[in-house]
Amino acid sequence: GGTVVAVGERADAGRFSRADAELNDLATRLGAGLTLADDAADPDQAVTTRIDAEPLTAGVASLGYDWAATVNVSGAGQSLAETADGTGTLIAAAPVGPGTFVMTGDSNLVTDDDGGAYADHDNGRLVHDLCG
């Protein structure tokens, strides 16, 4: 009954392709209804305020990130936040058995090595909500 967080990266001339493919395979085997797109949204530091009102985003008003793959959402999956440019889902969640599977296409959402986004926006709050 816990939370698994799958952190992928943008399409970048194959640099992250194998890791993203493995995360997509895991999500498919779990029946999560989430996969990373082979794309790159917001190709620079960005901040989104397109946060969906969900329990996993309680208290989150803005998220900073830098060049992300979007997440394809189907089945019981639900968006948690969209990209700043509005082209796709930045982070999503799906129930898997008694737990939750969360997928994002950018590690900057969940690390403090992100040009200040973790401290300047609600990235830390999001991580707290995911791990709570």
Side-chain angles (χ1 to χ4, degrees):
T3 301
V4 172
V5 180
V7 180
E9 287 292 342
R10 70 189 180 277
D12 188 9
R15 193 166 113 189
F16 305 115
S17 296
R18 182 170 176 182
D20 285 356
E22 293 293 333
L23 291 174
N24 285 343
D25 183 57
L26 173 63
T28 298
R29 285 185 283 130
L30 292 173
L34 307 176
T35 56
L36 294 166
D38 187 23
D39 65 358
D42 294 325
D44 203 351
Q45 290 185 342
V47 176
T48 187
T49 56
R50 298 170 187 260
I51 312 298
D52 300 308
E54 299 292 340
L56 290 174
T57 57
V60 177
S62 67
L63 294 169
Y65 62 100
D66 187 2
W67 213 359
T70 59
V71 179
N72 300 311
V73 182
S74 65
Q78 62 187 27
S79 172
L80 298 179
E82 289 78 40
T83 59
D85 65 8
T87 61
T89 300
L90 178 63
I91 184 169
V96 174
T100 304
F101 184 84
V102 176
M103 181 173 264
T104 182
D106 189 40
S107 60
N108 291 304
L109 283 174
V110 295
T111 179
D112 63 356
D113 184 23
D114 61 3
Y118 197 88
D120 297 340
H121 301 287
D122 296 319
N123 295 40
R125 180 67 206 187
L126 174 70
V127 170
H128 178 269
D129 290 349
L130 296 177
C131 296

